[in-house]
Amino acid sequence: MCRNIAALRLMVIDRMNTFTKHKFAWIFYIFSALVLLYYVDHTLQPGYWIKSLIKVIMFGLVPLFFLIQDHFDPKVLIKFTEVKWSFYLFCMGIILVILAAYFILSAFTSLSNIPDLLNQQVKVNLNNFLWVSLYIILINSVLEEFFFRFLLIKIFAHKNNVIPHLISAILFALYHVAIINQWFETWLFVLIVIGLTLVGLFFSFLNKGKNGITHSYLIHLSANIGINLVGLILMLQ
């Protein structure tokens, strides 16, 4: 009897869930946001900070506004109290792995054109690199985790639990590849697509059984620290 009551409560809660009530509206919004940001990146090319402001609005502020209208509490997304110290050591290891991967990769292919591409396409150079890096590490990381690892997985929720995580990982990879599609040789480009999809699945796995995005955010933040350190090395060469 108690189990039946609990199941009934879960059904009622699910029916009240904004992602259930407005599923197609959310799906439309998700793809509209991705298309808009692609258009901004490749056609308008307004400069890094304007592009970032649009991303903050589309990936963060707009969906949060509608979620809060449905009594969503944003504080559930990030809870550092649930993170063990060993996980922070793992995050430090991620940074070291990225740096090691750069030095290994640089022995097989040239990455020296990346600073010029950054300057030409998004106006990022040594003069503003510190502020851009801080934004990427602290704000962009949480924006993408909220958008890809929370919104997308909730929106594409399915009885087959693998499907929403796979959709999230693929869109995560395609979004990033669309930004850097002219930066690398073809073989490296394909490798990046596969790698980013696997990274997206790994990030989803980190949040498994949790309501928020704390663990994937910390790993994403650490990865961005490592990538930005590589960027700094390239710019100083």
Side-chain angles (χ1 to χ4, degrees):
M1 182 68 176
C2 292
R3 288 182 180 177
N4 291 336
I5 293 173
L8 182 61
R9 285 177 180 171
L10 287 173
M11 288 175 63
V12 171
I13 291 170
D14 185 61
R15 285 173 185 166
M16 295 172 62
N17 190 307
T18 184
F19 299 116
T20 303
K21 290 188 295 182
H22 310 295
K23 189 178 188 72
F24 292 106
W26 277 110
I27 291 173
F28 176 77
Y29 178 81
I30 286 293
F31 284 101
S32 297
L34 291 171
V35 170
L36 174 62
L37 284 170
Y38 180 84
Y39 177 74
V40 169
D41 269 326
H42 291 268
T43 304
L44 297 181
Q45 298 181 345
Y48 190 84
W49 292 116
I50 295 176
K51 183 190 74 171
S52 298
L53 177 61
I54 294 170
K55 184 173 181 178
V56 168
I57 293 169
M58 298 302 293
F59 273 27
L61 297 182
V62 171
L64 271 177
F65 172 79
F66 287 106
L67 287 176
I68 290 170
Q69 301 310 302
D70 272 343
H71 310 292
F72 173 74
D73 184 3
K75 289 186 291 186
V76 304
L77 292 170
I78 306 289
K79 290 185 178 180
F80 293 114
T81 53
E82 66 183 17
V83 181
K84 297 179 180 179
W85 280 106
S86 57
F87 192 80
Y88 288 110
L89 293 176
F90 180 66
C91 291
M92 293 176 64
I94 293 290
I95 298 171
L96 295 176
V97 166
I98 290 172
L99 290 172
Y102 158 70
F103 288 113
I104 294 171
L105 190 60
S106 61
F108 296 93
T109 187
S110 175
L111 303 175
S112 59
N113 64 323
I114 291 179
D116 288 335
L117 288 170
L118 281 170
N119 193 29
Q120 292 169 15
Q121 295 184 9
V122 289
K123 303 297 185 292
V124 174
N125 49 55
L126 273 177
N127 294 327
N128 58 12
F129 187 79
L130 173 61
W131 302 112
V132 170
S133 294
L134 289 174
Y135 163 78
I136 290 172
I137 292 166
L138 299 176
I139 299 175
N140 191 66
S141 298
V142 75
L143 272 179
E144 292 189 359
E145 288 310 303
F146 170 66
F147 189 83
F148 290 103
R149 244 68 64 185
F150 182 80
L151 275 185
L152 262 71
I153 289 172
K154 295 290 186 185
I155 290 167
F156 291 102
H158 192 272
K159 59 184 178 181
N160 182 343
N161 196 43
V162 175
I163 290 176
H165 298 284
L166 187 60
I167 293 173
S168 168
I170 292 171
L171 288 177
F172 175 73
L174 293 176
Y175 168 75
H176 285 85
V177 163
I179 297 172
I180 59 173
N181 62 351
Q182 296 177 334
W183 290 21
F184 303 102
E185 300 169 36
T186 303
W187 70 270
L188 190 52
F189 176 81
V190 173
L191 189 62
I192 289 170
V193 173
I194 296 170
L196 283 172
T197 301
L198 294 175
V199 166
L201 289 171
F202 175 61
F203 282 177
S204 290
F205 171 77
L206 290 172
N207 295 330
K208 187 178 180 181
K210 304 176 182 68
N211 291 323
I213 54 171
T214 311
H215 288 75
S216 63
Y217 167 57
L218 287 172
I219 293 294
H220 199 150
L221 177 151
S222 302
N224 281 343
I225 290 174
I227 291 168
N228 278 278
L229 285 174
V230 169
L232 181 61
I233 292 169
L234 288 169
M235 286 187 178
L236 291 174
Q237 286 181 347

